[in-house]
Amino acid sequence: MIEFCPLLATDFERIYPIEQAAHLEPWSPANLLSCFGPRYLNGLMLHDGQPAGFYISDLVAGDSSLMNICVLPALQGKGLGWALLQEYLARSKANRAEAWFLEVRASNHKAIRLYERAGFAEYCRRDGYYGTGNAREDAILMSRLFDLD
Ligand SMILES: CC(C)(COP(=O)(O)OP(=O)(O)OC[C@H]1O[C@@H](n2cnc3c(N)ncnc32)[C@H](O)[C@@H]1OP(=O)(O)O)[C@@H](O)C(=O)NCCC(=O)NCCS
C-alpha cells in the first residue's frame, strides 16, 4: 500500500539512505537539511508503512521547482515514481502552483521519459553542468507551463 505525507526535517534519518542509494551524486546531509522551511513543499511516500521515496520542491509566486525526487532502487520500475510525481503536481497545484520547473541529467532517460509523460518539455540545456573533469554532462531544463488536468 502506498501513502503520502508531508516530509519533515525530522524524517531526515529515514530518507537519507534513499538519497544515497538512488542518486549518482547524492546531496550532502547539510544540503538536504537546508531544504526545509516556509518556501519548500516536500513530500514522503510510504510503501507498506516504510519510506520508499520523497520529493523536495520550492514554491515561489506560483512557480514550483522540483529539486529532488527519488525512489528506493529496489522499488523502482513499479510505478511508484509516477505516483510520487503525480502527488507532487497535485499538492503543489493545491498550494497555488501554476508552472512547474525541473532539471535533469541528459543521460537520465528514465526520468526524462517520466517527466515527458507528465507533460514536461525541455526549454533549455546547460552544457557540461553536471560532473567534473572529462566526465561532464549537460543539464536539461524542463517546464510544464500549463495545468493539464
Ligand atoms: C526517476 C525515478 C524517480 C522514477 O521512479 P520509478 O519508480 O522507477 O518510476 P516508475 O516505475 O513510476 O516509472 C517508470 C515507468 O513507468 C511509467 N508509468 C508508471 N506508471 C504510469 C502511469 N500510471 N501512467 C503513465 N506512465 C506510467 C513511467 O512513465 C515510466 O515508463 P518507462 O519505464 O516505460 O519509461 C527513479 O528512477 C529514481 O529514483 N531515480 C534515481 C534518482 C533520479 O534520477 N531522480 C530524478 C532526478 S532529476
Side-chain angles (χ1 to χ4, degrees):
M1 188 180 72
I2 299 177
E3 297 164 273
F4 297 100
C5 57
L7 174 68
L8 308 174
T10 49
D11 293 313
F12 173 79
E13 299 291 344
R14 301 204 298 158
I15 58 133
Y16 197 64
I18 303 176
E19 172 69 17
Q20 288 180 298
H23 284 287
L24 225 50
E25 293 181 37
W27 286 2
S28 69
N31 192 1
L32 213 159
L33 281 166
S34 71
C35 295
F36 290 89
R39 62 178 246 215
Y40 293 96
L41 192 72
N42 302 332
L44 174 64
M45 176 172 61
L46 301 172
H47 178 258
D48 293 340
Q50 297 301 317
F54 66 91
Y55 63 82
I56 289 183
S57 70
D58 76 358
L59 180 56
V60 179
D63 288 351
S64 177
S65 299
L66 182 59
M67 301 166 66
N68 193 343
I69 182 167
C70 57
V71 169
L72 202 60
L75 295 172
Q76 288 177 13
K78 301 172 188 288
L80 295 191
W82 174 262
L84 187 59
L85 185 63
Q86 296 305 312
E87 165 69 15
Y88 154 67
L89 291 169
R91 184 163 164 237
S92 54
K93 180 182 167 187
N95 282 270
R96 299 175 189 269
E98 294 171 343
W100 290 266
F101 301 88
L102 58 84
E103 65 181 50
V104 56
R105 287 173 180 270
S107 65
N108 197 346
H109 303 295
K110 185 173 175 180
I112 291 169
R113 265 201 312 272
L114 185 69
Y115 298 144
E116 284 177 343
R117 286 191 188 166
F120 284 84
E122 175 178 339
Y123 69 92
C124 177
R125 256 179 197 251
R126 286 199 190 120
D127 292 346
Y129 180 75
Y130 291 110
T132 50
N134 290 331
R136 303 199 75 88
E137 68 172 304
D138 297 351
I140 296 182
L141 279 61
M142 304 183 83
S143 62
R144 193 178 96 151
L145 300 179
F146 303 100
D147 195 356
L148 299 181
D149 299 329

